[in-house]
Amino acid sequence: MVIEVAFCGCGDVAAHHLKAIKQLNDKILVTAAIDPCIERAENVAKFSGNRAVQIFPTLTKALEAREKGECRFDSLFILTPHHLHVANALEALKAGLHILLEKPIAPSLEDALLILNEAKKHKTVFMVAENAQYWPEIVKGQELINSGLIGEISAVRAVYNEKYAGHSEGKKSDIDSRYRQTDFYDSIDRSKRKEDRWRAEKNNASGMAADGGSHWFRGIRMLAGDISDVIAVTDRVIPYMEGE
């Protein structure tokens, strides 16, 4: 069985999903690339391995083509800026699509609940792309804690203090070379093109805590259990990144 997928959002994070798909031995076929920037959609089409990928400027246009039988896909990867997640997800869910939604679910709790409540109404697959729950060290740590080998956990500390591993150094794939040439957060510097710095803007993204921090929150919850209380001192890890 081959799963036919449309990419909604063809920016940097699409590179990760394309590389993962290539490791699945043709079990997933990208059939549509959706992005208002045609160049980005064309890059996804190029690296997808499918010469018949169709390109659309909006999700609505892609769904219209699907409804007419002009484009086939039953699953959607939502890889758009955070503030677009709720509109994209609701539209896709109502169209009956299986969905992989990039983290964070949405910039606000209210929008996240809108998406989750709508997903419960449908018999389709809905998954948030939070990969920390599959990190080998987290999975093994949880296993050791649950077995009682480590003992009672009194504290867990997570630190983000280095460049985005695997992209600033070492051998790059063709996909890496196209999508990532510098540190992961370099592209959101306010000196760069507006369309590339949405992650730094409060109205479009969620701030570091929900952006990169979601990985750490998930990992900590797997090791130490659900959060009951929060005491925090906030700061900006990246000076030009709003939202904290």
Side-chain angles (χ1 to χ4, degrees):
M1 177 182 175
V2 176
I3 300 173
E4 295 175 316
V5 172
F7 271 40
C8 183
C10 299
D12 284 354
V13 76
H16 292 293
H17 294 277
L18 287 171
K19 290 201 301 183
I21 286 172
K22 286 182 178 295
Q23 297 176 32
L24 293 175
N25 299 319
D26 300 323
K27 293 181 179 179
I28 295 179
L29 180 68
V30 179
T31 59
I34 306 164
D35 200 292
C37 176
I38 300 303
E39 180 185 358
R40 295 186 184 199
E42 288 174 344
N43 274 306
V44 164
K46 175 182 176 181
F47 290 112
S48 71
N50 178 16
R51 295 183 179 180
V53 172
Q54 293 179 249
I55 293 173
F56 301 94
T58 66
L59 176 57
T60 299
K61 291 290 186 183
L63 290 175
E64 288 174 354
R66 176 177 177 266
E67 183 68 23
K68 296 176 183 177
E70 297 172 355
C71 186
R72 290 176 48 180
F73 58 91
D74 293 314
S75 302
L76 185 73
F77 287 10
I78 298 178
L79 315 174
T80 51
H82 307 161
H83 68 293
L84 300 177
H85 283 189
V86 63
N88 294 155
L90 294 179
E91 185 175 9
L93 284 166
K94 291 172 181 177
L97 295 174
H98 303 291
I99 294 174
L100 179 72
L101 174 65
E102 257 297 341
K103 61 81 188 167
I105 298 175
S108 69
L109 178 60
E110 292 76 15
D111 281 351
L113 290 174
L114 276 176
I115 294 172
L116 294 175
N117 289 333
E118 183 65 32
K120 292 176 182 178
K121 300 177 184 178
H122 303 272
K123 295 182 179 180
T124 50
V125 175
F126 175 84
M127 179 179 177
V128 178
E130 174 47 74
N131 60 342
Q133 60 195 358
Y134 302 110
W135 290 351
E137 60 271 30
I138 295 295
V139 174
K140 187 62 177 180
Q142 185 184 49
E143 176 188 322
L144 294 174
I145 291 169
N146 290 344
S147 72
L149 184 64
I150 291 180
E152 183 179 355
I153 303 301
S154 59
V156 178
R157 184 180 184 185
V159 179
Y160 180 92
N161 65 350
E162 61 183 330
K163 284 185 177 294
Y164 192 69
H167 294 287
S168 297
E169 300 176 357
K171 185 178 179 180
K172 295 181 175 66
S173 69
D174 289 342
I175 297 173
D176 283 329
S177 297
R178 160 60 186 89
Y179 281 96
R180 299 204 184 283
Q181 300 174 355
T182 58
D183 177 54
F184 187 62
Y185 287 100
D186 283 352
S187 64
I188 66 173
D189 190 320
R190 287 191 173 280
S191 66
K192 304 294 177 65
R193 296 184 308 167
K194 181 173 178 58
E195 59 267 32
D196 290 332
R197 64 174 190 248
W198 62 266
R199 298 179 75 187
E201 298 175 338
K202 185 176 181 179
N203 293 333
N204 297 329
S206 313
M208 177 59 85
D211 194 330
S214 64
H215 298 310
W216 277 252
F217 294 142
R218 179 56 180 152
I220 289 172
R221 289 177 63 210
M222 289 179 65
L223 297 175
D226 280 337
I227 298 167
S228 59
D229 299 285
V230 175
I231 301 174
V233 175
T234 63
D235 197 358
R236 288 183 179 172
V237 179
I238 300 173
Y240 48 79
M241 191 173 187
E242 302 172 353
E244 305 296 56

